[in-house]
Amino acid sequence: MKVTIAVVGSTAFCQRAEAMTLPKDISINCYRYKHPTEAPSLLQKLKPCHAILFSGSLPYEAAEKVVQKLSIPSFYLQQNENTIAVTLLYLASEKNLSIHELSIDSKDSTHIEHVLRDMDHLSVMGKPAIHELATTSDLQAVVNFHLAHYRSGRTKMAVTSVHAVYDQLEAAEIPAFRMIDPVSNITRSLEHAAQQAQLQRSEATKIAVGLLKVHLPDSFNHEIVEQLASHLHAQSMQEEDIFQLYTTLGTIEFALQTEQFTQLIHSLSPIASLAFGCGQTIVEARENAASALELERKSDSHGVFMLDEKKQLHGPLPTVIPAVAMKLEDPDLLDISSKTSLSPAVISKLIQFNHFRQASSFTANDLASYLEVSRRTAERTIKKLIDQELIKTVGEEMTYAQGRPRALYQLHLPIY
């Protein structure tokens, strides 16, 4: 499966990434910023993808609170000794600059120390001026560090890891150089992100069973079972006072991020209890769900618990505030609604569907099932989105039954 990675970085970094020859199973979409603090707002514009790679630690740290709410893995390109060595080699060979003539800012100064130790024959020439970037680094302080060393005559060149710092130094007419991110480092980071995305997708398809035990039958509304099955895209079965819901781990994790589902499960107590189990087989998953239900009964904590295939208990769930909600007041959502003549509620559901699919293609039947509408209604919705270039056809799916192959689509709506 081809993996799509969102690359969040400066214009220069994105241009470098786009010019690379990528592994055949990886594609990238770049989101450019002028300053690392813009990273959180860029995440709100993400199109379907499987992972996110930030160009460095500063944009990652700026967006960390947002990243924690996302259902896809996120990483940042880390500097290492290779980054420092390649940069120093270039400056020595092409700019004829000695190490002691440089001021350098870096996330981890130990990388510079390691390279200098390996180049001990140059130690007699002195070390560069080093500024270590902190999590809450004031970029103006970094600029001032380089300015002070250059204007005092102690250095001839500022080497920076932050593109926004480079731009300010250039504007001040201070000789500056951006740290070189070796192509090998970028490639390895993209490959690592792709591997983690594949692993997460594999985990998400694991079999999961939910057990809903009714304690007060006279007060129990059976419509709750249908609502739970709808949120979990599950098949339900009843055995006496217990309802079984068959689904996948990924579907449960997504449902727990939605406000509607969490409100529903909170409404169960004390009438009923819900627990989940995961496993390599349905039998194992059901046994783990039964164990989770029993452990929940004995626990002082109230909520939903899950026992995974490693017999590890998780809960009470959800552990974070739901990130996916029906935001009918969002101006971008309202704008899409106006262009497509679809209601804000339908657009919001489409964004949730986009989030749930995570860049996977889908058929009209898939969309109809999620929206709980007829296939004809789903096809009309797709047509309206195609007219506004918010959806595109990406292939066809052959069916075992007779008839024409079904079109495969991919949404191009922001997923977060």
Side-chain angles (χ1 to χ4, degrees):
M1 182 199 77
K2 191 154 191 165
V3 175
T4 300
I5 299 173
V7 175
V8 180
S10 66
T11 298
F13 181 85
C14 289
Q15 288 174 342
R16 183 169 175 79
E18 289 171 334
M20 290 171 46
T21 300
L22 299 174
K24 62 181 181 180
D25 59 343
I26 295 176
S27 64
I28 62 173
N29 291 325
C30 288
Y31 298 82
R32 296 163 167 79
Y33 60 69
K34 292 183 179 179
H35 193 281
T37 55
E38 297 170 13
S41 61
L42 288 177
L43 294 184
Q44 297 176 9
K45 302 176 182 179
L46 281 190
K47 296 299 175 62
C49 58
H50 302 101
I52 305 171
L53 178 66
F54 293 86
S55 61
S57 60
L58 293 186
Y60 177 85
E61 289 162 356
E64 195 164 12
K65 289 184 179 179
V66 180
V67 165
Q68 290 173 352
K69 298 179 181 179
L70 305 185
S71 59
I72 55 176
S74 301
F75 311 91
Y76 65 87
L77 184 68
Q78 299 188 28
Q79 282 188 356
N80 55 23
E81 283 85 352
N82 192 25
T83 308
I84 306 299
V86 168
T87 301
L88 294 180
L89 176 62
Y90 179 87
L91 291 173
S93 61
E94 299 298 324
K95 304 294 184 182
N96 197 30
L97 287 167
S98 298
I99 292 176
H100 70 279
E101 296 175 312
L102 307 175
S103 61
I104 303 176
D105 62 65
S106 174
K107 180 65 177 175
D108 190 345
S109 62
T110 58
H111 296 317
I112 302 174
E113 298 290 345
H114 290 165
V115 171
L116 295 178
R117 193 175 298 120
D118 290 338
M119 301 169 67
D120 58 358
H121 61 287
L122 295 176
S123 61
V124 294
M125 302 177 65
K127 295 181 179 181
I130 301 172
H131 180 90
E132 189 165 84
L133 299 170
T135 300
T136 57
S137 283
D138 176 4
L139 295 193
Q140 188 57 51
V142 182
V143 173
N144 292 341
F145 160 77
H146 291 293
L147 285 174
H149 280 80
Y150 177 77
R151 288 173 175 169
S152 69
R154 284 177 284 176
T155 60
K156 295 181 179 180
M157 176 75 74
V159 181
T160 179
S161 308
V162 186
H163 289 203
V165 170
Y166 173 82
D167 292 338
Q168 288 192 52
L169 293 172
E170 283 276 283
E173 299 183 345
I174 302 298
F177 189 79
R178 287 190 294 259
M179 195 80 74
I180 296 174
D181 293 309
V183 170
S184 58
N185 282 11
I186 301 175
T187 301
R188 277 196 293 270
S189 295
L190 288 170
E191 289 175 340
H192 176 69
Q195 289 168 2
Q196 293 303 307
Q198 294 277 29
L199 177 62
Q200 180 166 308
R201 285 180 64 84
S202 175
E203 288 289 310
T205 58
K206 283 184 177 177
I207 298 166
V209 174
L211 294 182
L212 178 69
K213 183 175 178 61
V214 180
H215 305 304
L216 303 173
D218 294 339
S219 304
F220 183 70
N221 184 349
H222 282 69
E223 289 183 2
I224 289 179
V225 179
E226 296 178 8
Q227 293 172 13
L228 288 170
S230 176
H231 281 288
L232 296 169
H233 300 274
Q235 294 287 335
S236 63
M237 293 178 58
Q238 182 179 1
E239 289 184 3
E240 297 180 351
D241 61 345
I242 292 182
F243 293 87
Q244 303 175 42
L245 300 161
Y246 296 95
T247 183
T248 64
L249 176 59
T251 307
I252 294 171
E253 289 177 338
F254 174 77
L256 286 167
Q257 294 180 56
T258 66
E259 188 176 354
Q260 300 95 323
F261 182 70
T262 55
Q263 289 176 348
L264 181 61
I265 60 177
H266 287 151
S267 71
L268 294 174
S269 181
I271 299 169
S273 298
L274 176 65
F276 294 105
C278 301
Q280 299 297 326
T281 66
I282 291 178
V283 172
E284 181 185 350
R286 193 191 182 289
E287 289 175 351
N288 286 341
S291 297
L293 200 60
E294 181 63 19
L295 291 169
E296 178 183 324
R297 186 183 66 82
K298 296 177 180 179
S299 172
D300 294 332
S301 301
H302 297 286
V304 177
F305 288 79
M306 177 189 295
L307 191 67
D308 63 25
E309 72 280 6
K310 297 178 182 177
K311 306 300 180 184
Q312 294 179 331
L313 186 66
H314 306 268
L317 303 172
T319 55
V320 296
I321 297 173
V324 182
M326 302 284 278
K327 299 180 180 178
L328 302 185
E329 76 285 356
D330 188 288
D332 292 333
L333 186 152
L334 293 172
D335 182 54
I336 295 172
S337 174
S338 175
K339 290 178 179 177
T340 60
S341 74
L342 296 170
S343 72
V346 170
I347 298 297
S348 185
K349 281 189 174 182
L350 287 169
I351 291 174
Q352 289 188 351
F353 177 69
N354 213 13
H355 187 178
F356 173 63
R357 300 291 298 190
Q358 289 188 4
S360 298
S361 56
F362 62 92
T363 66
N365 281 341
D366 295 328
L367 184 60
S369 174
Y370 190 89
L371 297 179
E372 297 179 319
V373 298
S374 68
R375 175 172 173 167
R376 186 176 292 255
T377 299
E379 288 174 340
R380 285 199 295 267
T381 300
I382 289 170
K383 174 67 167 59
K384 292 177 180 179
L385 293 166
I386 287 176
D387 290 343
Q388 296 300 321
E389 298 182 348
L390 295 170
I391 196 173
K392 67 178 181 179
T393 306
V394 295
E396 291 183 335
E397 178 182 73
M398 298 300 295
T399 61
Y400 290 103
Q402 291 183 346
R404 289 164 42 180
R406 295 181 295 192
L408 291 172
Y409 305 100
Q410 190 173 67
L411 278 162
H412 282 259
L413 294 166
I415 54 177
Y416 299 114

